[in-house]
Amino acid sequence: KEIIVISNKKNKDRKEDSSINHNVGEMVSCPNFDITLNSFQIKKEGTRIDSFNVIKDPEWIGVILTVKNTSSGERTFYSSDINLQNSTGEIIKPKFWNYDIWGAELLNSPKLVPDGVKTGYISFANTNQDDSDLKIKINCKR
């Protein structure tokens, strides 16, 4: 499976939203941040996710991102600006569980100094279990 990153950048000429597709491993440039989707995992209900926790939602999706502050000042990257969209167009908002996975910690709105980099995961509860044609939606307007 593949997740496509969608960046909602303003097109300077047309002054409307335009989508730019990127594959896993590619970087998306937003004002103030460069964001790279490193990997993702889909886990079903009942799957043990770490030493202490078992998935309780029908399906859980974890996405690992690397975020770099490209501005000249300290900035906060808002994890709530990242959503998933499935093939039916349903928007799946992040759920901030703190699991010990992939050797990465929760990416929970880190404050970054200029050129500061943070890698972490964002998790999503996919209650409809529609994991076909998943897309990450990044709000670059902040």
Side-chain angles (χ1 to χ4, degrees):
K1 292 183 182 177
E2 178 179 284
I3 292 185
I4 304 291
V5 177
I6 298 181
S7 173
N8 291 328
K9 291 201 245 182
K10 292 276 186 186
N11 181 318
K12 291 179 184 173
D13 299 327
R14 298 190 338 223
K15 296 192 179 189
E16 62 186 46
D17 289 347
S18 60
S19 295
I20 302 168
N21 290 337
H22 298 272
N23 293 314
V24 172
E26 292 180 335
M27 184 182 63
V28 175
S29 290
C30 291
N32 303 315
F33 295 102
D34 286 341
I35 304 162
T36 303
L37 171 63
N38 300 317
S39 64
F40 69 97
Q41 282 192 9
I42 298 173
K43 306 253 185 208
K44 301 290 183 191
E45 183 177 16
T47 303
R48 179 161 296 285
I49 196 156
D50 63 18
S51 307
F52 306 102
N53 298 290
V54 173
I55 300 297
K56 293 182 177 88
D57 288 295
E59 188 170 84
W60 181 87
I61 301 167
V63 177
I64 294 185
L65 302 168
T66 298
V67 179
K68 179 180 181 184
N69 180 356
T70 57
S71 74
S72 59
E74 184 176 84
R75 299 271 187 229
T76 299
F77 173 77
Y78 293 96
S79 303
S80 58
D81 285 342
I82 305 289
N83 294 300
L84 276 181
Q85 181 178 5
N86 63 24
S87 64
T88 64
E90 175 191 13
I91 299 294
I92 306 165
K93 297 195 178 292
K95 244 185 163 177
F96 293 101
W97 293 304
N98 197 359
Y99 292 135
D100 180 19
I101 56 169
W102 303 304
E105 60 186 58
L106 181 67
L107 189 65
N108 193 7
S109 299
K111 195 175 277 191
L112 300 170
V113 298
D115 292 322
V117 176
K118 178 78 174 180
T119 297
Y121 72 88
I122 298 177
S123 53
F124 302 87
N126 190 12
T127 54
N128 289 341
Q129 299 184 54
D130 177 4
D131 59 17
S132 60
D133 194 30
L134 287 174
K135 293 178 172 67
I136 288 189
K137 238 173 142 62
I138 301 173
N139 179 2
C140 285
K141 297 176 188 172
R142 196 184 291 251

